[in-house]
Amino acid sequence: MMMTNTPREQRRFRLRHSRLLSTLVAATAGVAGVGYPLIHPPMAHSAERIEIRVTGPLILTLSVESLATFAETGEITREFRPYARVLGDEALADLRQLLNVPFPLDVTTTSHLSYSPLGRDVLTNLGKVIQYLPGENGLVGLRAAVINAAAQAGPEGWTLIDVMRAFPTESIDISLRGLLALRRELSVYLSDNRAFVKAIQAQAEAEIAGQSDLDLSQLPDLSQPGPYAVSRQTITVTNPALRQTTRGLSVNYDFDVDVYWPEGLTTPAPVVVVSHGFGAVKEDFIFLNQHLASHGYAVMAPDHVGSDLQFRQAFLGGRLNTLLSPIEFVNRPREISFLIDQLERLVADSPTWASQVDLDRIAVIGDSLGSSTVMALAGAELSQPRIADQCDQDQLILNFSLYIQCSARFLPPTTFDLTDDRVKAAIAAHNLGAALYNPESLAEISIPLLMVSGSADIVAPVVVEQILPFRAMQQQPRYLSLLHVGTHFSSKPPGEGAGDVPEILTGAYRDIGAAYYKTLATAFLGAHLRDQPDYLPYLSATYARALSQDNPLVVDTISDLPQAQVEAAFPGRPPLTLAPSPVAPVPPRQEPILTTLQQTGELRVAMRRDAPPFGYVDDQGWTGYCPALVTALADYLDNTLESPVDIRLVALPSTLEDRFDLVRNGQVHLECGPNSVGQTAPGIQFSSLIFASGARFLTTPTNTERVNPALSLAGLRIGVLANSTNEQLLQDRYPQAQAIRFQGPTGRTDAIAAVTTGTVDAFLGDDLLTLAEVQRTEQSIEALTLTPELPLSCEYYGLALPNDDPAWVATVNRFLADQTGEEVWADWLGEFAPEALGVLDHCLNQ
């Protein structure tokens, strides 16, 4: 064990921290907002050597300059020779390639990313290997190093060698265990990647040998527009609240769908739904949508508002605490199913729509995160044991797509059946989902599927995210089209689907890749949605080779990848496989929440999205008292806990049905909403009171005499939220009234609207929530009235907490009494304080 209590080690420790502090001061000088350096910092110190700690006092050293010489010229210096012999030729080639990868990010962008929540996670992960002191995560040193490397770099960008030279200490400590893990992870991008590409090329050759009778000379060019002119319109889809509420997961909201019509088609058109990726928008696929419509398809492009470009930019700008809400893995497939539901209603109600779309022939196309959406619709079931296994926080993660996929580990422990049997064919481009779907669930996919991939995809590594899932699927027909040297963005033309993504990730030859993609998609849909065999030759290995002739971007299309072909590409070592998931989910930690927070840095909360002013959705997203409160709580814990990691917020939506279950089963650490502390809730302890309210009737002035709380209300139609305390109040006190139940995220909104239209005579609800909802929907308060003047019941609200962790309850209560907690209360609930005081006065003096 390396000791640090000798005078020499103490001097070294002080020197390192002094250098680190001065470098960080330089690197962040002039920083404004979320980390934009306004000047280029000088490189105050630089690392001269790398120290690999093997065991005990045994330390292997290597100068940074020896590694730089190898990277720049390929020369193996005398110092580097022993390491080179251990690595071998293949690993050396991989290492040199990695060291020379340029990162064309300027200092402003680099600083921005390194201080974002995502950048912090990535650097923390790498800090497990590249340490500041033995056993101390290298996050801060790495952050300073990448900012300084970017500041000193030219327009061509900076490399890992530049980062090593800019590390703010005289040596870089490397964990041997971490180094071995790093090598295993890198093999997915390098040696394993080459082996699988070789196997695919060999399989393509084998399939070509069996396709000698194909005549390609008369095949039209499917990358060209079809015979139909294209028009576009936008429709709005509303999620059915009841369907989501029974799952207790989603929020009700409208989302837009662009519809591309083939003009002049005389028969109903097959439907194709195109799902965009994370951080993208529906307009990113105009090139494909217009192309398919010109070939006779009605193309629907929904906007997934919880994971679009605006969401990604807000996250990278530091305005969101989580890269992706876990609920998106459920919402996205359901949004497409809701769209199909709406199409069915339109076809049933409108002869025009009935003549335009053929709902017996529906296909889905997904890109990146949209591809995992497609997999769910096609029949793959989310595997929570696999998610827990793949997202183990102790393991090194280089696969960027896992930072997105691992959000799913916060989903409630239940089974999600997202399959839609109305979908008859699917295309999955640049798939990510290896942590979401196990081999068993992928084998359940039974519809035709085309997978399009890039061999140089470093966002979602092609081996684990695409090739292995392709092998796990069993259905026929299925196809894998691999773009050699293609990236995660190679199937989209320049300017589409990348936004602010740097060129190092987007790659070259995107026009060629987009032309291939249009050809493949048109052929696949023609063959397997329209059942026209004339399109099958386009899906052959022979046609792919002919299509690639004389092009710098080569495509291979195969229909299978047998085990024998894979083993031949991995001589002397077993090939990588998609391992089955653990049989049972990983059990939750049996430890105090504060301990968990200090170890994981993740504060898990649940909040309502249908209860203004506590939590609701507006044009700006999720807002209200609860979102503001839990964000402030995360900052409070960050400042008060002696935690080695920053506290990050993971938020889930809650409903009337599942709010207490989420706390009881350990899925969240607290639930924030209008929780009545007087109700019986086993396993739940409530926080200090956050508000007081009471139940009153909302009605119109003309109905006030009829809605008299002193009478029986016999025969009156009274709206009430299902499963609420007010439903029980209505049943107990006014049994002769006709209860009209409203459910789901829009239940309160729908009930208030029913009052204004006369569908119900009154709505019985908590007066605070009713007033806030009337304000939010901008309805005229003058046209409505609350009765009686004093409430029928007294409701006291608190946060829902587990009843077996008194230290956590005490911490939350201290925060609520803290100045920050009181400021949040004043900002969001202060305007309703007079109402609350009136309720308290009435209730305490009854």
Side-chain angles (χ1 to χ4, degrees):
M1 182 175 65
M2 178 61 65
M3 304 297 292
T4 60
N5 58 353
T6 66
R8 178 184 177 186
E9 287 299 329
Q10 289 174 355
R11 287 195 301 272
R12 185 180 178 204
F13 182 85
R14 287 194 297 270
L15 177 62
R16 283 199 160 195
H17 278 81
S18 174
R19 287 185 168 187
L20 178 59
L21 179 61
S22 62
T23 305
L24 283 174
V25 170
T28 57
V31 170
V34 292
Y36 289 86
L38 303 182
I39 62 172
H40 285 194
M43 194 156 56
H45 305 283
S46 62
E48 299 174 357
R49 66 182 181 274
I50 300 168
E51 295 185 350
I52 304 173
R53 301 184 176 272
V54 181
T55 182
L58 179 57
I59 301 174
L60 303 178
T61 62
L62 174 66
S63 70
V64 172
E65 287 311 307
S66 285
L67 203 55
T69 299
F70 169 69
E72 293 164 7
T73 68
E75 177 188 349
I76 297 176
T77 64
R78 181 177 180 180
E79 181 191 26
F80 186 51
R81 195 173 300 143
Y83 300 95
R85 284 198 294 266
V86 173
L87 289 172
D89 292 342
E90 185 179 62
L92 278 173
D94 290 342
L95 176 62
R96 189 178 180 204
Q97 176 185 344
L98 182 66
L99 293 175
N100 284 309
V101 171
F103 294 86
L105 304 175
D106 61 29
V107 65
T108 299
T109 304
T110 302
S111 178
H112 188 178
L113 289 173
S114 70
Y115 278 93
S116 72
L118 174 61
R120 178 195 59 208
D121 289 348
V122 172
L123 293 176
T124 300
N125 211 338
L126 292 175
K128 298 172 184 176
V129 181
I130 304 170
Q131 299 180 343
Y132 172 60
L133 282 174
E136 183 174 330
N137 192 288
L139 162 66
V140 180
L142 281 168
R143 177 180 283 156
V146 296
I147 293 174
N148 270 304
Q152 304 302 319
E156 70 281 358
W158 44 274
T159 67
L160 294 181
I161 292 292
D162 297 323
V163 174
M164 293 179 196
R165 286 172 169 159
F167 204 82
T169 59
E170 63 184 7
S171 66
I172 303 171
D173 280 289
I174 301 290
S175 158
L176 178 62
R177 180 180 177 184
L179 189 62
L180 295 174
L182 179 63
R183 180 177 176 180
R184 287 193 301 270
E185 284 293 301
L186 285 174
S187 69
V188 171
Y189 289 92
L190 301 168
S191 57
D192 287 345
N193 182 292
R194 284 194 298 270
F196 271 107
V197 168
K198 180 180 177 181
I200 289 170
Q201 290 172 323
Q203 177 64 18
E205 294 287 353
E207 292 188 16
I208 288 171
Q211 296 166 353
S212 57
D213 58 338
L214 284 179
D215 180 11
L216 307 181
S217 61
Q218 303 302 313
L219 293 179
D221 183 358
L222 293 185
S223 69
Q224 297 302 308
Y228 301 100
V230 177
S231 62
R232 184 172 74 173
Q233 73 174 105
T234 300
I235 63 174
T236 299
V237 175
T238 300
N239 292 355
L242 175 60
R243 182 173 181 180
Q244 293 192 28
T245 300
T246 57
R247 300 279 183 164
L249 287 168
S250 296
V251 57
N252 181 82
Y253 54 87
D254 296 342
F255 60 93
D256 289 338
V257 180
D258 288 342
V259 183
Y260 297 79
W261 294 111
E263 297 287 336
L265 192 66
T266 58
T267 58
V271 175
V272 179
V273 183
V274 179
S275 176
H276 66 71
F278 171 73
V281 290
K282 63 184 186 300
E283 289 80 10
D284 285 339
F285 291 90
I286 289 176
F287 79 99
L288 180 63
N289 301 338
Q290 290 181 333
H291 181 78
L292 293 176
S294 75
H295 283 268
Y297 297 94
V299 183
M300 314 279 170
D303 189 7
H304 299 295
V305 295
S307 51
D308 59 8
L309 179 61
Q310 182 179 5
F311 187 96
R312 171 164 63 91
Q313 290 174 336
F315 171 80
L316 293 177
R319 299 188 297 278
L320 293 173
N321 290 286
T322 182
L323 178 60
L324 184 71
S325 169
I327 205 62
E328 276 300 285
F329 296 101
V330 177
N331 273 356
R332 278 173 148 261
R334 286 185 176 165
E335 284 170 355
I336 292 177
S337 291
F338 296 156
L339 168 58
I340 298 174
D341 292 344
Q342 181 134 331
L343 292 177
E344 289 179 338
R345 289 192 292 271
L346 290 169
V347 166
D349 297 340
S350 167
T352 300
W353 276 87
S355 67
Q356 290 179 314
V357 295
D358 181 355
L359 295 185
D360 290 328
R361 294 184 292 178
I362 299 175
V364 290
I365 298 177
D367 181 78
S368 190
L369 183 59
S371 182
S372 65
T373 302
V374 161
M375 291 293 193
L377 289 163
E381 183 179 301
L382 287 170
S383 170
Q384 292 183 316
R386 181 169 190 83
I387 295 167
D389 179 62
Q390 295 295 305
C391 299
D392 182 352
Q393 296 300 288
D394 292 330
Q395 67 186 13
L396 180 69
I397 297 176
L398 289 188
N399 178 352
F400 174 81
S401 72
L402 282 183
Y403 289 100
I404 294 176
Q405 296 179 61
C406 287
S407 299
R409 70 187 186 277
F410 300 111
L411 285 170
T414 188
T415 299
F416 300 101
D417 182 9
L418 304 172
T419 306
D420 197 319
D421 294 333
R422 297 168 294 185
V423 173
K424 307 303 182 186
I427 298 176
H430 313 289
N431 180 60
L432 57 88
L436 303 174
Y437 307 115
N438 60 23
E440 300 85 352
S441 67
L442 290 169
E444 292 298 314
I445 295 176
S446 59
I447 62 175
L449 188 141
L450 165 67
M451 188 172 282
V452 179
S453 305
S455 68
D457 189 339
I458 61 175
V459 175
V462 65
V463 172
V464 295
E465 297 297 337
Q466 294 142 48
I467 297 175
L468 295 182
F470 174 78
R471 296 199 67 220
M473 292 185 287
Q474 304 295 319
Q475 85 280 17
Q476 291 294 341
R478 73 182 193 278
Y479 308 91
L480 172 64
S481 288
L482 182 68
L483 304 175
H484 297 282
V485 306
T487 70
H488 198 70
F489 301 92
S490 288
S491 60
K492 296 172 281 294
E496 303 287 351
D500 52 2
V501 177
E503 188 177 351
I504 185 176
L505 299 180
T506 58
Y509 315 123
R510 294 176 66 192
D511 282 327
I512 299 173
Y516 289 165
Y517 193 31
K518 288 190 289 187
T519 298
L520 290 165
T522 306
F524 176 80
L525 295 172
H528 298 296
L529 191 59
R530 281 190 165 137
D531 298 321
Q532 295 179 354
D534 291 348
Y535 287 99
L536 289 172
Y538 292 95
L539 301 173
S540 66
T542 300
Y543 185 81
R545 286 291 172 87
L547 192 64
S548 303
Q549 191 169 1
D550 300 325
N551 279 328
L553 185 67
V554 174
V555 60
D556 271 323
T557 297
I558 58 175
S559 58
D560 195 10
L561 190 55
Q563 180 67 15
Q565 205 70 267
V566 174
E567 290 177 350
F570 284 83
R573 61 190 178 107
L576 194 64
T577 60
L578 199 63
S581 301
V583 174
V586 177
R589 294 183 181 221
Q590 300 297 320
E591 60 188 5
I593 289 174
L594 291 175
T595 302
T596 302
L597 290 174
Q598 290 174 319
Q599 292 177 349
T600 67
E602 292 172 339
L603 172 62
R604 303 196 301 271
V605 302
M607 299 177 287
R608 296 280 290 277
R609 288 183 172 178
D610 60 344
F614 290 94
Y616 59 99
V617 175
D618 63 11
D619 293 340
Q620 304 302 313
W622 204 349
T623 189
Y625 169 72
C626 289
L629 182 80
V630 297
T631 299
L633 175 60
D635 292 339
Y636 174 83
L637 294 170
D638 211 17
N639 294 326
T640 57
L641 293 180
E642 295 181 0
S643 173
V645 294
D646 295 333
I647 300 298
R648 291 166 291 172
L649 191 63
V650 178
L652 287 173
S654 58
T655 67
L656 272 171
E657 290 83 2
D658 71 358
R659 53 184 171 164
F660 298 143
D661 288 337
L662 291 170
V663 177
R664 270 192 290 261
N665 64 28
Q667 200 64 25
V668 298
H669 301 131
L670 67 86
E671 195 275 344
C672 181
N675 300 311
S676 300
V677 300
Q679 60 190 309
T680 302
I684 299 298
Q685 181 169 341
F686 295 98
S687 71
S688 301
L689 299 184
I690 58 175
F691 212 81
S693 182
R696 289 197 280 174
F697 291 103
L698 179 75
T699 188
T700 59
T702 56
N703 262 344
T704 304
E705 290 187 9
R706 297 176 62 230
V707 184
N708 185 345
L711 303 178
S712 68
L713 306 185
L716 294 186
R717 298 160 299 170
I718 307 298
V720 68
L721 293 186
N723 304 315
S724 66
T725 55
N726 289 320
E727 182 178 24
Q728 188 64 46
L729 172 65
L730 182 67
Q731 181 179 336
D732 293 342
R733 189 172 297 188
Y734 303 102
Q736 297 182 59
Q738 181 185 353
I740 309 296
R741 304 173 85 234
F742 292 85
Q743 303 190 60
T746 59
R748 196 180 311 276
T749 308
D750 295 340
I752 294 172
V755 172
T756 61
T757 61
T759 306
V760 298
D761 298 303
F763 166 63
L764 179 61
D766 290 4
D767 51 17
L768 166 67
L769 303 178
T770 301
L771 284 170
E773 182 64 31
V774 170
Q775 287 184 8
R776 188 185 72 84
T777 54
E778 298 181 350
Q779 298 189 54
S780 174
I781 191 65
E782 290 77 14
L784 300 166
T785 186
L786 285 171
T787 187
E789 182 177 350
L790 297 175
L792 300 171
S793 66
C794 300
E795 303 288 351
Y796 306 102
Y797 297 150
L799 308 180
L801 305 165
N803 69 350
D804 57 356
D805 196 335
W808 174 236
V809 175
T811 299
V812 172
N813 285 335
R814 280 196 299 271
F815 163 71
L816 291 174
D818 184 77
Q819 180 180 351
T820 303
E822 291 182 346
E823 288 174 352
V824 175
W825 189 95
D827 289 343
W828 285 97
L829 301 179
E831 67 175 295
F832 301 102
E835 290 287 337
L837 291 173
V839 171
L840 280 173
D841 180 66
H842 165 69
C843 293
L844 294 176
N845 289 284
Q846 286 190 106

